[in-house]
Amino acid sequence: MVARRKDFVDNAIPSGNALAAEALLRLATLLDKPNYRTETGRILLMMKDAMARQPTGFGRLLGVLDAYLGPSQEIAIVGTLEGADTQALLAELRRHFLPHAVAALKEPAQESMLPLLQGRTLVDGKATAYVCENYACKLPVTSAEALAEALPTA
């Protein structure tokens, strides 16, 4: 019988299973799908002993574990992609190292299927960023400086 190998150990390239767990966790946050988060937890639980014995072999999976144990971080930006104010918010967002955050962008007139973007609108006609943790959002901001203050710190 031919058996397919499940490689969890990271080498020069992260293991496919660690990348799949990371994708599941990000999708769980982005799509608000608790069952994806549950599946990520099952993968982590299955590998807990191996990660404890040989942590250097599971760098990517340990990163997933860190994200799994911490709060989810969500950032929604509403604005026209060509707009200078939207570009300023996106540039500020890119300046920060936020390994556990998911971000999504929508045009003002566009409806979105993503829970993170539903009900989000412009404020005073300006591009607006909503910074949330576990889907509890701070007040919306419209400037890059205010976004920098609202973003989580590492």
Side-chain angles (χ1 to χ4, degrees), residues 97-119:
F97 178 66
L98 302 167
H100 304 314
V102 295
L105 169 74
K106 82 167 193 160
E107 297 277 333
Q110 182 183 47
E111 282 300 314
S112 177
M113 293 174 44
L114 296 178
L116 176 59
L117 295 173
Q118 290 176 352

PDB file of all heavy atoms in Angstrom, residues 97-119:
ATOM      1  N   PHE A  97       4.852  46.005  11.393  1.00  0.00           N
ATOM      2  CA  PHE A  97       4.972  44.547  11.411  1.00  0.00           C
ATOM      3  C   PHE A  97       3.808  44.003  12.227  1.00  0.00           C
ATOM      4  O   PHE A  97       3.778  44.148  13.461  1.00  0.00           O
ATOM      5  CB  PHE A  97       6.316  44.135  12.015  1.00  0.00           C
ATOM      6  CG  PHE A  97       6.492  42.644  12.099  1.00  0.00           C
ATOM      7  CD1 PHE A  97       6.571  41.877  10.946  1.00  0.00           C
ATOM      8  CD2 PHE A  97       6.586  42.016  13.331  1.00  0.00           C
ATOM      9  CE1 PHE A  97       6.736  40.504  11.017  1.00  0.00           C
ATOM     10  CE2 PHE A  97       6.745  40.639  13.414  1.00  0.00           C
ATOM     11  CZ  PHE A  97       6.823  39.883  12.251  1.00  0.00           C
ATOM     12  N   LEU A  98       2.848  43.423  11.555  1.00  0.00           N
ATOM     13  CA  LEU A  98       1.645  42.891  12.206  1.00  0.00           C
ATOM     14  C   LEU A  98       1.428  41.452  11.731  1.00  0.00           C
ATOM     15  O   LEU A  98       0.544  41.170  10.922  1.00  0.00           O
ATOM     16  CB  LEU A  98       0.427  43.757  11.842  1.00  0.00           C
ATOM     17  CG  LEU A  98       0.535  45.238  12.202  1.00  0.00           C
ATOM     18  CD1 LEU A  98      -0.558  46.033  11.536  1.00  0.00           C
ATOM     19  CD2 LEU A  98       0.495  45.402  13.708  1.00  0.00           C
ATOM     20  N   PRO A  99       2.227  40.521  12.240  1.00  0.00           N
ATOM     21  CA  PRO A  99       2.184  39.161  11.705  1.00  0.00           C
ATOM     22  C   PRO A  99       0.875  38.419  11.933  1.00  0.00           C
ATOM     23  O   PRO A  99       0.572  37.473  11.221  1.00  0.00           O
ATOM     24  CB  PRO A  99       3.336  38.462  12.440  1.00  0.00           C
ATOM     25  CG  PRO A  99       3.512  39.240  13.691  1.00  0.00           C
ATOM     26  CD  PRO A  99       3.168  40.661  13.341  1.00  0.00           C
ATOM     27  N   HIS A 100       0.086  38.853  12.903  1.00  0.00           N
ATOM     28  CA  HIS A 100      -1.149  38.131  13.199  1.00  0.00           C
ATOM     29  C   HIS A 100      -2.395  38.872  12.736  1.00  0.00           C
ATOM     30  O   HIS A 100      -3.507  38.422  12.995  1.00  0.00           O
ATOM     31  CB  HIS A 100      -1.259  37.842  14.695  1.00  0.00           C
ATOM     32  CG  HIS A 100      -0.082  37.097  15.233  1.00  0.00           C
ATOM     33  ND1 HIS A 100       0.468  35.999  14.602  1.00  0.00           N
ATOM     34  CD2 HIS A 100       0.676  37.289  16.321  1.00  0.00           C
ATOM     35  CE1 HIS A 100       1.496  35.558  15.288  1.00  0.00           C
ATOM     36  NE2 HIS A 100       1.647  36.332  16.332  1.00  0.00           N
ATOM     37  N   ALA A 101      -2.219  39.981  12.066  1.00  0.00           N
ATOM     38  CA  ALA A 101      -3.363  40.776  11.630  1.00  0.00           C
ATOM     39  C   ALA A 101      -3.805  40.365  10.230  1.00  0.00           C
ATOM     40  O   ALA A 101      -3.005  39.955   9.400  1.00  0.00           O
ATOM     41  CB  ALA A 101      -3.007  42.259  11.645  1.00  0.00           C
ATOM     42  N   VAL A 102      -5.103  40.473   9.996  1.00  0.00           N
ATOM     43  CA  VAL A 102      -5.633  40.356   8.645  1.00  0.00           C
ATOM     44  C   VAL A 102      -6.161  41.732   8.268  1.00  0.00           C
ATOM     45  O   VAL A 102      -6.655  42.477   9.119  1.00  0.00           O
ATOM     46  CB  VAL A 102      -6.748  39.288   8.519  1.00  0.00           C
ATOM     47  CG1 VAL A 102      -6.214  37.910   8.790  1.00  0.00           C
ATOM     48  CG2 VAL A 102      -7.923  39.601   9.405  1.00  0.00           C
ATOM     49  N   ALA A 103      -6.015  42.071   7.002  1.00  0.00           N
ATOM     50  CA  ALA A 103      -6.479  43.371   6.525  1.00  0.00           C
ATOM     51  C   ALA A 103      -7.324  43.161   5.279  1.00  0.00           C
ATOM     52  O   ALA A 103      -7.068  42.246   4.490  1.00  0.00           O
ATOM     53  CB  ALA A 103      -5.293  44.279   6.221  1.00  0.00           C
ATOM     54  N   ALA A 104      -8.325  44.013   5.120  1.00  0.00           N
ATOM     55  CA  ALA A 104      -9.190  43.942   3.951  1.00  0.00           C
ATOM     56  C   ALA A 104      -9.554  45.359   3.532  1.00  0.00           C
ATOM     57  O   ALA A 104      -9.631  46.269   4.363  1.00  0.00           O
ATOM     58  CB  ALA A 104     -10.447  43.137   4.271  1.00  0.00           C
ATOM     59  N   LEU A 105      -9.773  45.530   2.239  1.00  0.00           N
ATOM     60  CA  LEU A 105     -10.083  46.826   1.658  1.00  0.00           C
ATOM     61  C   LEU A 105     -11.343  46.701   0.829  1.00  0.00           C
ATOM     62  O   LEU A 105     -11.547  45.700   0.142  1.00  0.00           O
ATOM     63  CB  LEU A 105      -8.917  47.276   0.769  1.00  0.00           C
ATOM     64  CG  LEU A 105      -9.136  48.488  -0.130  1.00  0.00           C
ATOM     65  CD1 LEU A 105      -9.125  49.766   0.702  1.00  0.00           C
ATOM     66  CD2 LEU A 105      -8.076  48.552  -1.207  1.00  0.00           C
ATOM     67  N   LYS A 106     -12.189  47.727   0.890  1.00  0.00           N
ATOM     68  CA  LYS A 106     -13.353  47.750   0.007  1.00  0.00           C
ATOM     69  C   LYS A 106     -13.586  49.158  -0.499  1.00  0.00           C
ATOM     70  O   LYS A 106     -13.256  50.143   0.164  1.00  0.00           O
ATOM     71  CB  LYS A 106     -14.594  47.191   0.680  1.00  0.00           C
ATOM     72  CG  LYS A 106     -15.339  48.156   1.563  1.00  0.00           C
ATOM     73  CD  LYS A 106     -16.715  47.612   1.922  1.00  0.00           C
ATOM     74  CE  LYS A 106     -17.555  48.709   2.536  1.00  0.00           C
ATOM     75  NZ  LYS A 106     -18.957  48.457   2.493  1.00  0.00           N
ATOM     76  N   GLU A 107     -14.137  49.226  -1.689  1.00  0.00           N
ATOM     77  CA  GLU A 107     -14.543  50.493  -2.277  1.00  0.00           C
ATOM     78  C   GLU A 107     -15.807  50.953  -1.551  1.00  0.00           C
ATOM     79  O   GLU A 107     -16.621  50.132  -1.125  1.00  0.00           O
ATOM     80  CB  GLU A 107     -14.833  50.317  -3.768  1.00  0.00           C
ATOM     81  CG  GLU A 107     -13.637  49.899  -4.594  1.00  0.00           C
ATOM     82  CD  GLU A 107     -12.749  51.066  -4.993  1.00  0.00           C
ATOM     83  OE1 GLU A 107     -13.251  52.202  -5.096  1.00  0.00           O
ATOM     84  OE2 GLU A 107     -11.546  50.831  -5.201  1.00  0.00           O
ATOM     85  N   PRO A 108     -16.016  52.266  -1.401  1.00  0.00           N
ATOM     86  CA  PRO A 108     -17.158  52.761  -0.627  1.00  0.00           C
ATOM     87  C   PRO A 108     -18.521  52.261  -1.091  1.00  0.00           C
ATOM     88  O   PRO A 108     -19.374  51.939  -0.270  1.00  0.00           O
ATOM     89  CB  PRO A 108     -17.062  54.276  -0.783  1.00  0.00           C
ATOM     90  CG  PRO A 108     -15.662  54.546  -1.159  1.00  0.00           C
ATOM     91  CD  PRO A 108     -15.165  53.339  -1.888  1.00  0.00           C
ATOM     92  N   ALA A 109     -18.740  52.182  -2.391  1.00  0.00           N
ATOM     93  CA  ALA A 109     -20.054  51.783  -2.896  1.00  0.00           C
ATOM     94  C   ALA A 109     -20.216  50.265  -2.980  1.00  0.00           C
ATOM     95  O   ALA A 109     -21.301  49.774  -3.259  1.00  0.00           O
ATOM     96  CB  ALA A 109     -20.280  52.407  -4.270  1.00  0.00           C
ATOM     97  N   GLN A 110     -19.169  49.547  -2.728  1.00  0.00           N
ATOM     98  CA  GLN A 110     -19.154  48.101  -2.895  1.00  0.00           C
ATOM     99  C   GLN A 110     -19.739  47.396  -1.670  1.00  0.00           C
ATOM    100  O   GLN A 110     -19.481  47.785  -0.539  1.00  0.00           O
ATOM    101  CB  GLN A 110     -17.705  47.684  -3.111  1.00  0.00           C
ATOM    102  CG  GLN A 110     -17.467  46.234  -3.355  1.00  0.00           C
ATOM    103  CD  GLN A 110     -15.972  45.955  -3.468  1.00  0.00           C
ATOM    104  OE1 GLN A 110     -15.195  46.423  -2.644  1.00  0.00           O
ATOM    105  NE2 GLN A 110     -15.584  45.212  -4.478  1.00  0.00           N
ATOM    106  N   GLU A 111     -20.509  46.347  -1.917  1.00  0.00           N
ATOM    107  CA  GLU A 111     -20.948  45.476  -0.833  1.00  0.00           C
ATOM    108  C   GLU A 111     -19.923  44.357  -0.716  1.00  0.00           C
ATOM    109  O   GLU A 111     -19.350  43.941  -1.707  1.00  0.00           O
ATOM    110  CB  GLU A 111     -22.331  44.897  -1.128  1.00  0.00           C
ATOM    111  CG  GLU A 111     -23.461  45.871  -0.882  1.00  0.00           C
ATOM    112  CD  GLU A 111     -23.525  46.350   0.564  1.00  0.00           C
ATOM    113  OE1 GLU A 111     -23.432  45.518   1.485  1.00  0.00           O
ATOM    114  OE2 GLU A 111     -23.671  47.564   0.767  1.00  0.00           O
ATOM    115  N   SER A 112     -19.712  43.869   0.481  1.00  0.00           N
ATOM    116  CA  SER A 112     -18.717  42.825   0.680  1.00  0.00           C
ATOM    117  C   SER A 112     -19.332  41.630   1.379  1.00  0.00           C
ATOM    118  O   SER A 112     -20.204  41.774   2.232  1.00  0.00           O
ATOM    119  CB  SER A 112     -17.557  43.359   1.511  1.00  0.00           C
ATOM    120  OG  SER A 112     -16.633  42.332   1.755  1.00  0.00           O
ATOM    121  N   MET A 113     -18.830  40.454   1.024  1.00  0.00           N
ATOM    122  CA  MET A 113     -19.254  39.231   1.699  1.00  0.00           C
ATOM    123  C   MET A 113     -18.431  38.987   2.958  1.00  0.00           C
ATOM    124  O   MET A 113     -18.777  38.133   3.768  1.00  0.00           O
ATOM    125  CB  MET A 113     -19.110  38.039   0.749  1.00  0.00           C
ATOM    126  CG  MET A 113     -20.068  38.097  -0.411  1.00  0.00           C
ATOM    127  SD  MET A 113     -19.831  36.807  -1.654  1.00  0.00           S
ATOM    128  CE  MET A 113     -19.588  35.345  -0.703  1.00  0.00           C
ATOM    129  N   LEU A 114     -17.338  39.734   3.132  1.00  0.00           N
ATOM    130  CA  LEU A 114     -16.501  39.550   4.308  1.00  0.00           C
ATOM    131  C   LEU A 114     -17.157  40.208   5.519  1.00  0.00           C
ATOM    132  O   LEU A 114     -17.477  41.396   5.478  1.00  0.00           O
ATOM    133  CB  LEU A 114     -15.118  40.170   4.088  1.00  0.00           C
ATOM    134  CG  LEU A 114     -14.257  39.564   2.996  1.00  0.00           C
ATOM    135  CD1 LEU A 114     -12.945  40.332   2.889  1.00  0.00           C
ATOM    136  CD2 LEU A 114     -13.988  38.106   3.275  1.00  0.00           C
ATOM    137  N   PRO A 115     -17.340  39.472   6.597  1.00  0.00           N
ATOM    138  CA  PRO A 115     -17.935  40.062   7.794  1.00  0.00           C
ATOM    139  C   PRO A 115     -17.170  41.299   8.289  1.00  0.00           C
ATOM    140  O   PRO A 115     -17.772  42.241   8.786  1.00  0.00           O
ATOM    141  CB  PRO A 115     -17.874  38.936   8.829  1.00  0.00           C
ATOM    142  CG  PRO A 115     -17.792  37.685   8.029  1.00  0.00           C
ATOM    143  CD  PRO A 115     -17.056  38.044   6.781  1.00  0.00           C
ATOM    144  N   LEU A 116     -15.871  41.279   8.130  1.00  0.00           N
ATOM    145  CA  LEU A 116     -15.040  42.386   8.573  1.00  0.00           C
ATOM    146  C   LEU A 116     -15.395  43.691   7.870  1.00  0.00           C
ATOM    147  O   LEU A 116     -15.278  44.769   8.448  1.00  0.00           O
ATOM    148  CB  LEU A 116     -13.564  42.038   8.332  1.00  0.00           C
ATOM    149  CG  LEU A 116     -12.520  43.097   8.637  1.00  0.00           C
ATOM    150  CD1 LEU A 116     -12.579  43.517  10.100  1.00  0.00           C
ATOM    151  CD2 LEU A 116     -11.133  42.589   8.287  1.00  0.00           C
ATOM    152  N   LEU A 117     -15.853  43.618   6.637  1.00  0.00           N
ATOM    153  CA  LEU A 117     -16.134  44.820   5.852  1.00  0.00           C
ATOM    154  C   LEU A 117     -17.605  45.220   5.842  1.00  0.00           C
ATOM    155  O   LEU A 117     -17.944  46.311   5.396  1.00  0.00           O
ATOM    156  CB  LEU A 117     -15.646  44.620   4.414  1.00  0.00           C
ATOM    157  CG  LEU A 117     -14.144  44.469   4.239  1.00  0.00           C
ATOM    158  CD1 LEU A 117     -13.806  44.116   2.805  1.00  0.00           C
ATOM    159  CD2 LEU A 117     -13.421  45.728   4.670  1.00  0.00           C
ATOM    160  N   GLN A 118     -18.470  44.382   6.323  1.00  0.00           N
ATOM    161  CA  GLN A 118     -19.891  44.684   6.277  1.00  0.00           C
ATOM    162  C   GLN A 118     -20.234  45.838   7.212  1.00  0.00           C
ATOM    163  O   GLN A 118     -19.793  45.884   8.358  1.00  0.00           O
ATOM    164  CB  GLN A 118     -20.706  43.449   6.625  1.00  0.00           C
ATOM    165  CG  GLN A 118     -20.620  42.408   5.529  1.00  0.00           C
ATOM    166  CD  GLN A 118     -21.340  41.126   5.874  1.00  0.00           C
ATOM    167  OE1 GLN A 118     -21.797  40.932   6.999  1.00  0.00           O
ATOM    168  NE2 GLN A 118     -21.425  40.228   4.920  1.00  0.00           N
ATOM    169  N   GLY A 119     -20.987  46.779   6.687  1.00  0.00           N
ATOM    170  CA  GLY A 119     -21.416  47.931   7.473  1.00  0.00           C
ATOM    171  C   GLY A 119     -20.352  49.003   7.627  1.00  0.00           C
ATOM    172  O   GLY A 119     -20.568  49.998   8.308  1.00  0.00           O
TER     173      GLY A 119
END
